[in-house]
Amino acid sequence: MSSQLAPLRVTYSFPVSAGEDAAQRARELAREQTVEVPEGCFPDAFEGTVVATVHDVATVAPDRATAVVDYSQALVGGTAPQLLNVLLGNVSMFDGVRVEAVDWPDWIRDFLPGPRFGVAGLRSLVGVEDRPLIATSVKPVGFDTDELARRCREFVLGGMDVLKDDHSLADQSWAPFADRTARCQAAVDETNASAGSSALYVPHLSGPFEELPRRLDGLRGLGCKAVMVHPAILGWDVVRWLAENSGMAVFTHPTFSGTLWATRETGMAPRVALGDLQRLLGADAVVYPNAAGRFPITADDVRAVHTSLTKPLLDARPAFPMLGGGIDAERIGEWARRFGPDTIFLVGSSLYAQGDLRAAAKKLREAVEKS
Amino acid sequence: MSSQLAPLRVTYSFPVSAGEDAAQRARELAREQTVEVPEGCFPDAFEGTVVATVHDVATVAPDRATAVVDYSQALVGGTAPQLLNVLLGNVSMFDGVRVEAVDWPDWIRDFLPGPRFGVAGLRSLVGVEDRPLIATSVKPVGFDTDELARRCREFVLGGMDVLKDDHSLADQSWAPFADRTARCQAAVDETNASAGSSALYVPHLSGPFEELPRRLDGLRGLGCKAVMVHPAILGWDVVRWLAENSGMAVFTHPTFSGTLWATRETGMAPRVALGDLQRLLGADAVVYPNAAGRFPITADDVRAVHTSLTKPLLDARPAFPMLGGGIDAERIGEWARRFGPDTIFLVGSSLYAQGDLRAAAKKLREAVEKS
C-alpha cells in the first residue's frame, strides 16, 4: 500500500547523547510528527504511508546526528498549515531539532503557487531590466501622513525603485492605515507621473484576522501593485492567499521569525525558512538581513537564502532576495558585485542619516548603476 | 507630550560581551523595536512616546543583562499583530534576546478579549464542578472516520470530559475535515445522550486562510461547542478572532511554537508565550507539555505557565492549563495533587497503549476522582 508519489523528504539534525541510538531517536521524531502514539498502537500498514520513513541516519558530531525523513503526500494533504505542522510541528518543542534541508516533490506545487510575479514580474513593474533594485523603508513610525508622503516623494525623485512601509507602521493614530496607504500611494503615483519613473510603493498589510480581506480590498482600490506582510505573526498561509488572490506582488518581512531560523541549532535552516518556504508560499520578494549589518546572520546563510530564492526549484518562478537590516549605502557597489543583479538592496538608516533623502537616494542609484 | 496611559512594560534579557555597555545595548533594542533609525533621525519629542523608554538595566550574569522597556499605547495601537511585533519583532533576529516578563496595562483589554468561557465556563460545558478534567486526543491520523468516531464513543463511555482532535488531523483523505468533524461530533452527542454525560468534542480547525471562516461556520452548524487551533502556524490573531466571534470555547495547541519559547535564551519565557499571551488572546484552554513527558520543559516552567493562566491578570477570566505531551495515566493522582483542580490532563499514548480505550478512560476517571 505504499504511495506512488515521491515523498516530502526532510533532513533533520538533532542532538544525541553518549550511548543514545541516533536511529531510534530519528524514528521517535518521525512518529511524533505523524501518528503520535507508540509502536503497536497503529496497524502495520501505516508504516511508510502514515508514519514517516527514516533513512540515512548519520552521526555528524560527537553530540549530533542527522536523519532523512520521508513524509507521504497523503499525510501532508494539500495545505500550507499542515505542511508546516509536518516539517516542524511538535518537534519544535524538542531540544535542538532543526530542519536542515527539504527535497520538494512535484505535488507541493498543487497547493503552493510560488511567486506570481517573481524576479521578471517585479522587474516589469519597476521598469528595470538588468541591474539590482534599490529599495528603502518609509519610516519612522511616529510621523504623520503628510511627512511620510513627503518622504515617498523625495525617494521617488531620488530614483528609488521600491518604497516599502516600515513593518512597524500598523494602524497607529499618527498615520492610520487607510489614510497613510492612500496618501503614500498617491504621492508615489503623482511623482512617478511627473518624473517619468516607475517606483513601486509597497504598503504594509497587517491588522485583525477578519479585517485583512477588507484592508486588501482597500489597497486594491488605491491601485496598489504590491503588498508586504509578516507571516510569522499573521500566519504563514497569508502569503499563499495573497499570491493566489491579490493580483499584487507579495513582499514578506521577517519580523518575529528570528527564533525559527536564527538560533543555529533549532527550528529551520535560514535557506528553508527564508528561502524555499517563502518562495513556494508565493513571496515575490523576501526581506531578510544581510551579514555585516545589525543582525548576526552569517555570510554563508545570506548566500544560501539568496540561492534558495533564485535557483531552479520545481517550476516555481525565482523570487527576489531583498537584503536589508543595516545595508550601508557606501558599500552598495561591493554588495551588488557580490550578489549580482537579481537582488533588491533595502537601504534605510544609512540614507536617513544623510538628512537630504532625495540626494541620498540619488547617490545610491548612481552607485548601483555603476556597479 | 508624554502619554497619560501606563506603558506596556517589557523585561528583556540579552547577551552582553566583555566591555559592552548593557544600557547602550538596551537602547538599541528599544530603537529597533520602534523607530528603527539612528539617533538624530527623529524629533526629540519622539522619545518616550514613539521610542520606548529603557530603565532598570541590570547585569544578571557575566555575559547577560536585563532591561525594562516601556512602550506607549500609541505605538502598540490596538491590535494583536502589532503587539507581537512590539514585543519581539526584529529583535527576534538578534542573538539571545528574550522576553522574560510583561506588565500588562489596562488598555490591553481594549483589544484582547481574554477567555470567553474560561475555567468556569468550560466547567459548565462539561458539567464538572471541582475536580481536574480529563482529556484525550482522537488519533492517530491515518484511520478513517468510522474508526475515529468509534474511538470517540469509547472515550465518552469511559468517562472522558474532553476529546480533542489530534492536531495532525487536518483534511487528509483518510478522514476529511467536514466528514470527520460531523461524525465525531455526532458520535459524542449520541453517546452523551444515551450515557447521560456531557463530554466535549473539540475539533481541530486548520486549513487555507480564506477557508477558516467557512470551516468555522461548518463547525457551528454541527453544534460544536469548542474548537482548537495552532496559532504559531495559522496566525496569533486567529485566537482572538475565535474568542470574539465563534461563540465556542477556544483551545490552543503549541505545535510549531517551540522555537519561540523552548530554547531558554531566546524568544519568550514560557509563562509569557504559553501563559499571558494565549490567555489575553482569548484561549479558554491552553495545551502545553508537562515535565517528565516527551518534551524537555522544566517543572518550574510548567508551574509558571499554570500560574500565568490562572492568576489574577487585569480582569481576564482564568484559562484552563491543559497539560499533555506524555502524561502517564498511572501518575494522574500525583499530577492532580500537584496542580490542583483547575487543570485539564491530556492523556493520549498511555491510554492507547492499554488497548481497551473505554476501560483505560474509566480507570483514568476513577483515579482523578479519587485524587
Side-chain angles (χ1 to χ4, degrees):
Chain A
M1 181 184 149
S2 85
S3 168
Q4 300 303 303
L5 295 169
L8 176 74
R9 178 160 286 180
V10 184
T11 303
Y12 294 95
S13 69
F14 52 93
V16 280
S17 38
E20 213 177 9
D21 179 355
Q24 176 60 25
R25 286 280 289 150
R27 283 193 298 272
E28 284 165 13
L29 185 157
R31 273 207 308 280
E32 184 69 43
Q33 290 300 88
T34 55
V35 286
E36 244 199 305
V37 290
E39 292 188 64
C41 294
F42 52 86
D44 290 344
F46 278 22
E47 291 285 359
T49 53
V50 184
V51 185
T53 304
V54 173
H55 55 99
D56 288 301
V57 179
T59 304
V60 294
D63 58 354
R64 213 158 168 86
T66 59
V68 181
V69 179
D70 287 352
Y71 298 101
S72 70
Q73 188 274 345
L75 179 82
V76 176
T79 68
Q82 170 62 357
L83 169 67
L84 290 166
N85 181 48
V86 163
L87 288 175
L88 188 78
N90 272 6
V91 299
S92 73
M93 298 184 278
F94 282 171
D95 265 337
V97 171
R98 192 184 199 227
V99 175
E100 297 289 351
V102 182
D103 284 346
W104 302 95
D106 286 338
W107 48 263
I108 286 291
R109 299 284 285 127
D110 296 346
F111 63 97
L112 292 187
R116 182 185 182 118
F117 290 82
V119 169
L122 268 181
R123 285 195 177 284
S124 293
L125 283 181
V126 295
V128 177
E129 273 183 28
D130 53 10
R131 62 165 170 81
L133 306 189
I134 52 172
T136 195
S137 293
V138 181
K139 63 181 178 183
V141 60
F143 277 124
D144 64 16
T145 304
D146 281 348
E147 176 59 20
L148 295 173
R150 186 190 73 78
R151 288 169 178 229
C152 287
R153 282 191 295 274
E154 290 297 300
F155 283 128
V156 175
L157 290 171
M160 201 60 80
D161 299 308
V162 175
L163 296 80
K164 72 160 196 54
D165 278 350
D166 187 57
H167 69 283
S168 290
L169 294 175
D171 193 25
Q172 292 97 344
S173 58
W174 300 308
F177 173 80
D179 184 46
R180 180 186 86 243
T181 53
R183 294 285 306 284
C184 288
Q185 184 64 57
V188 171
D189 286 345
E190 289 158 18
T191 317
N192 276 337
S194 66
S197 56
S198 306
L200 181 69
Y201 170 59
V202 188
H204 174 219
L205 174 65
S206 182
F209 169 82
E210 67 272 38
E211 285 188 28
L212 295 180
R214 188 166 50 215
R215 289 194 183 188
L216 178 66
D217 285 343
L219 296 180
R220 200 181 277 115
L222 298 173
C224 296
K225 298 188 186 117
V227 62
M228 182 180 80
V229 286
H230 42 40
I233 296 176
L234 290 187
W236 298 87
D237 197 53
V238 167
V239 182
R240 192 243 0 121
W241 167 66
L242 289 169
E244 288 197 332
N245 297 285
S246 72
M248 301 178 199
V250 180
F251 288 58
T252 57
H253 192 282
T255 183
F256 202 76
S257 76
T259 65
L260 182 64
W261 57 264
T263 57
R264 296 188 185 90
E265 286 205 343
T266 56
M268 297 182 173
R271 69 173 172 274
V272 179
L274 298 171
D276 294 5
L277 257 182
Q278 310 265 345
R279 178 176 172 190
L280 290 170
L281 284 167
D284 297 291
V286 176
V287 177
Y288 72 102
N290 192 14
R294 301 195 306 278
F295 300 96
I297 190 169
T298 66
D300 283 351
D301 279 335
V302 173
R303 166 60 63 192
V305 174
H306 196 289
T307 302
S308 291
L309 293 174
T310 52
K311 72 183 176 187
L313 175 59
L314 304 177
D315 63 342
R317 293 189 180 95
F320 250 120
M322 187 160 171
L323 292 175
I327 295 261
D328 186 344
E330 297 293 326
R331 295 178 67 183
I332 193 75
E334 173 191 342
W335 298 123
R337 284 186 294 280
R338 182 177 303 183
F339 291 106
D342 288 345
T343 311
I344 305 177
F345 294 104
L346 173 60
V347 186
S349 293
S350 64
L351 294 185
Y352 282 103
Q354 294 176 50
D356 182 335
L357 301 181
R358 192 191 311 189
K362 202 166 171 186
K363 212 169 105 188
L364 184 74
R365 170 74 176 261
E366 286 165 3
V368 87
E369 285 186 342
K370 258 195 300 198
S371 69
Chain B
M1 184 183 148
S2 85
S3 168
Q4 298 304 303
L5 296 169
L8 176 73
R9 177 160 287 179
V10 184
T11 304
Y12 294 94
S13 69
F14 52 92
V16 279
S17 39
E20 213 177 9
D21 179 354
Q24 176 60 25
R25 285 280 291 151
R27 284 193 298 273
E28 284 165 14
L29 184 158
R31 273 206 309 278
E32 185 69 43
Q33 290 301 89
T34 55
V35 285
E36 243 199 306
V37 290
E39 292 187 64
C41 294
F42 51 87
D44 290 345
F46 278 22
E47 291 286 358
T49 52
V50 184
V51 186
T53 305
V54 173
H55 54 98
D56 288 301
V57 179
T59 304
V60 294
D63 58 353
R64 212 158 169 85
T66 59
V68 181
V69 179
D70 287 352
Y71 298 101
S72 70
Q73 188 273 346
L75 179 82
V76 176
T79 69
Q82 170 61 359
L83 170 66
L84 289 166
N85 181 49
V86 163
L87 288 175
L88 189 78
N90 272 7
V91 299
S92 73
M93 298 183 276
F94 282 170
D95 265 337
V97 171
R98 193 182 197 228
V99 174
E100 297 289 351
V102 182
D103 285 346
W104 302 96
D106 286 338
W107 48 262
I108 286 291
R109 299 283 284 126
D110 296 346
F111 62 96
L112 292 188
R116 182 184 182 119
F117 289 82
V119 169
L122 268 181
R123 285 195 177 285
S124 293
L125 283 181
V126 296
V128 176
E129 273 183 28
D130 53 9
R131 62 164 171 81
L133 305 189
I134 52 172
T136 195
S137 293
V138 181
K139 62 182 181 184
V141 61
F143 278 123
D144 64 17
T145 304
D146 281 347
E147 176 58 20
L148 295 173
R150 187 190 72 78
R151 288 168 179 231
C152 287
R153 282 192 294 274
E154 290 297 301
F155 282 129
V156 175
L157 291 171
M160 201 58 81
D161 300 308
V162 175
L163 295 80
K164 72 159 196 55
D165 279 349
D166 188 56
H167 69 283
S168 290
L169 294 176
D171 193 25
Q172 292 96 344
S173 58
W174 300 308
F177 173 80
D179 184 46
R180 179 186 88 243
T181 52
R183 294 287 306 285
C184 289
Q185 184 65 57
V188 171
D189 286 345
E190 289 158 17
T191 317
N192 275 339
S194 66
S197 55
S198 306
L200 181 69
Y201 170 60
V202 188
H204 175 220
L205 174 65
S206 183
F209 169 83
E210 67 273 37
E211 285 188 28
L212 294 180
R214 190 166 50 216
R215 289 194 182 188
L216 178 66
D217 285 343
L219 296 179
R220 199 181 278 116
L222 299 174
C224 296
K225 298 187 186 115
V227 61
M228 182 180 81
V229 286
H230 42 40
I233 295 176
L234 289 187
W236 298 88
D237 198 53
V238 168
V239 181
R240 193 244 359 122
W241 167 66
L242 288 170
E244 288 197 332
N245 298 286
S246 72
M248 301 178 198
V250 180
F251 288 57
T252 56
H253 191 282
T255 183
F256 203 75
S257 76
T259 65
L260 182 63
W261 56 264
T263 56
R264 294 185 187 92
E265 287 205 342
T266 56
M268 297 182 174
R271 68 175 174 273
V272 178
L274 298 171
D276 296 4
L277 257 182
Q278 310 266 345
R279 179 176 172 191
L280 290 170
L281 284 167
D284 297 292
V286 177
V287 177
Y288 71 102
N290 192 14
R294 302 194 304 278
F295 300 95
I297 190 170
T298 66
D300 283 350
D301 279 336
V302 174
R303 165 60 64 191
V305 175
H306 197 289
T307 302
S308 291
L309 293 174
T310 52
K311 73 183 177 186
L313 175 59
L314 305 177
D315 62 343
R317 293 188 179 96
F320 250 122
M322 186 160 172
L323 292 176
I327 295 260
D328 186 345
E330 296 294 326
R331 295 178 67 183
I332 193 75
E334 173 191 343
W335 298 123
R337 283 186 296 278
R338 181 177 304 183
F339 290 105
D342 287 345
T343 311
I344 304 176
F345 293 104
L346 173 60
V347 187
S349 294
S350 64
L351 294 185
Y352 282 103
Q354 294 176 50
D356 182 337
L357 301 181
R358 193 191 311 190
K362 204 168 170 184
K363 212 169 104 188
L364 185 73
R365 171 73 176 261
E366 285 165 3
V368 87
E369 285 185 342
K370 257 195 301 198
S371 68

